[in-house]
């Protein structure tokens, strides 16, 4: 199935015959056409889009099958508003949220045997394995747990002007790259596919070392020892 989400950003969502979930951010006026693959830890059988209840964002729903458990899930339509307002964000698939009962969080039968990421009262806990459809977190008032979403970006080859003309058809090497981030605190980069990854530094010297660094928006330079 193929559907189109108009708000807050124009995105084409597609479900492949092999059960993969794909998206294409499609904004021709801004010269943006970018495909992405979403590994949500299961087989996606259908995807649909409907108007959101607030009128500020369309809602994306899909049917996903994990280990024989078929569920209807929805992407969080309030994600982008919280991002702009500086609120707390969660990047999890198949997540459940609620208040623990005697320290236990239930309702995770669809993730049985898998390791889930856990946020409790805004604090990130160590990964927990799901057994019997539940995990133990201890004395917290609000918990959200689900499969971690790992995002990878592979830039396209680009052409530029040199003193001898365009770079098209010439052998070039890049020694430094500038990466623009928005509301980010963690990222690794590699000089090429299959090479070792390095952490991009975000912590400022003025920030306390016993707390996570603040969210960063702006440019960060990285040294690249790539080949021609």
């Amino acid at each position: 199935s193929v559907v189109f989400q108009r708000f807050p950003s124009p995105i084409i969502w597609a479900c492949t015959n092999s059960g993969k979930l794909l998206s294409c951010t499609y904004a021709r006026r801004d010269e943006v056409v970018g495909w992405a693959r979403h590994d949500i830890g299961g087989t996606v059988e259908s995807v649909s889009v409907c108007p959101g209840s607030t009128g500020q964002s369309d809602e994306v729903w899909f049917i996903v099958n994990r280990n024989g458990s078929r569920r209807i899930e929805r992407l969080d339509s309030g994600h982008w508003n919280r991002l702009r307002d500086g609120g707390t964000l969660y990047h999890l698939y198949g997540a459940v949220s609620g208040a623990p009962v005697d320290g236990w969080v239930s309702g995770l039968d669809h993730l049985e045997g898998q390791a889930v990421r856990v946020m409790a009262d805004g604090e990130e806990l160590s990964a927990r394995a799901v057994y019997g459809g539940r995990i133990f977190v201890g004395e917290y008032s609000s918990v959200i747990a689900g499969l971690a979403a790992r995002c990878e970006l592979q830039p396209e080859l680009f052409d530029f002007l040199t003193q001898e003309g365009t770079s098209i058809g010439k052998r070039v090497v890049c020694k430094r790259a500038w990466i623009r981030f928005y509301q980010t605190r963690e990222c690794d980069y590699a000089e090429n596919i299959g090479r070792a990854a390095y952490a991009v530094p975000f912590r400022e010297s003025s920030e306390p070392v016993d707390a996570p660094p603040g969210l960063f928006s702006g440019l960060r330079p990285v040294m690249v020892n790539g080949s021609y």
Side-chain angles (χ1 to χ4, degrees), residues 15 24 30 49 84 131 136-137 206 213 215 217-218 222:
C15 171
C24 177
D30 299 323
V49 170
R84 287 189 292 266
Y131 292 108
F136 184 78
V137 296
S206 58
L215 296 176
S217 294
V222 296

Side-chain angles (χ1 to χ4, degrees), residues 97-169:
S97 61
V101 178
D102 296 330
W104 291 90
V105 176
S106 304
L108 292 163
D109 305 79
H110 59 295
L111 302 179
E112 183 70 23
Q114 300 193 58
V116 295
R117 298 285 291 271
V118 183
M119 295 290 293
D121 294 345
E123 174 187 357
E124 183 175 359
L125 307 182
S126 59
R128 302 286 201 276
V130 179
Y131 292 108
R134 62 179 188 167
I135 58 173
F136 184 78
V137 296
E139 298 299 322
Y140 291 95
S141 60
S142 177
V143 172
I144 182 169
L147 299 177
R150 179 174 176 83
C151 304
E152 297 182 2
L153 172 66
Q154 172 63 53
E156 289 187 309
L157 295 175
F158 60 93
D159 302 312
F160 52 91
L161 292 177
T162 68
Q163 293 180 347
E164 291 77 26
T166 179
S167 65
I168 296 177

Side-chain angles (χ1 to χ4, degrees), residues 23 29 32 42 48 51 72 80 104 139 195 203 227:
S23 68
R29 185 177 60 182
V32 173
S48 64
I72 298 177
W80 297 108
W104 291 90
E139 298 299 322
R195 300 283 289 274
R203 185 183 298 277
S227 58

Side-chain angles (χ1 to χ4, degrees), residues 18-228:
S18 60
K20 302 296 184 182
L21 180 64
L22 307 177
S23 68
C24 177
T25 302
Y26 186 88
R28 279 293 187 184
R29 185 177 60 182
D30 299 323
E31 299 183 356
V32 173
V33 180
W35 282 94
R37 182 180 63 198
H38 303 266
D39 184 7
I40 65 174
T43 300
V44 180
E45 299 178 346
S46 179
V47 60
S48 64
V49 170
C50 64
S53 58
T54 63
Q56 298 179 344
S57 175
D58 292 336
E59 294 184 356
V60 181
W61 295 73
F62 46 89
I63 299 175
V64 57
N65 192 325
R66 297 187 184 91
N67 300 324
S69 173
R70 184 175 288 107
R71 297 170 60 90
I72 298 177
E73 299 182 359
R74 177 183 65 128
L75 296 183
D76 182 7
S77 57
H79 174 87
W80 297 108
N81 288 335
R82 287 200 304 277
L83 177 65
R84 287 189 292 266
D85 297 339
T88 302
L89 302 177
Y90 307 101
H91 300 273
L92 301 169
Y93 288 123
V96 299
S97 61
V101 178
D102 296 330
W104 291 90
V105 176
S106 304
L108 292 163
D109 305 79
H110 59 295
L111 302 179
E112 183 70 23
Q114 300 193 58
V116 295
R117 298 285 291 271
V118 183
M119 295 290 293
D121 294 345
E123 174 187 357
E124 183 175 359
L125 307 182
S126 59
R128 302 286 201 276
V130 179
Y131 292 108
R134 62 179 188 167
I135 58 173
F136 184 78
V137 296
E139 298 299 322
Y140 291 95
S141 60
S142 177
V143 172
I144 182 169
L147 299 177
R150 179 174 176 83
C151 304
E152 297 182 2
L153 172 66
Q154 172 63 53
E156 289 187 309
L157 295 175
F158 60 93
D159 302 312
F160 52 91
L161 292 177
T162 68
Q163 293 180 347
E164 291 77 26
T166 179
S167 65
I168 296 177
K170 295 184 173 65
R171 284 165 49 86
V172 297
V173 63
C174 176
K175 291 297 183 182
R176 176 180 298 178
W178 291 83
I179 308 175
R180 187 182 302 275
F181 292 97
Y182 180 69
Q183 297 282 65
T184 304
R185 71 160 49 99
E186 183 179 348
C187 178
D188 296 333
Y189 76 97
E191 295 162 349
N192 216 325
I193 296 177
R195 300 283 289 274
Y198 306 94
V200 178
F202 288 109
R203 185 183 298 277
E204 302 291 347
S205 59
S206 58
E207 294 181 315
V209 297
D210 58 348
L215 296 176
F216 174 79
S217 294
L219 291 170
R220 273 287 190 267
V222 296
M223 302 305 296
V224 181
N225 188 25
S227 58
Y228 282 90

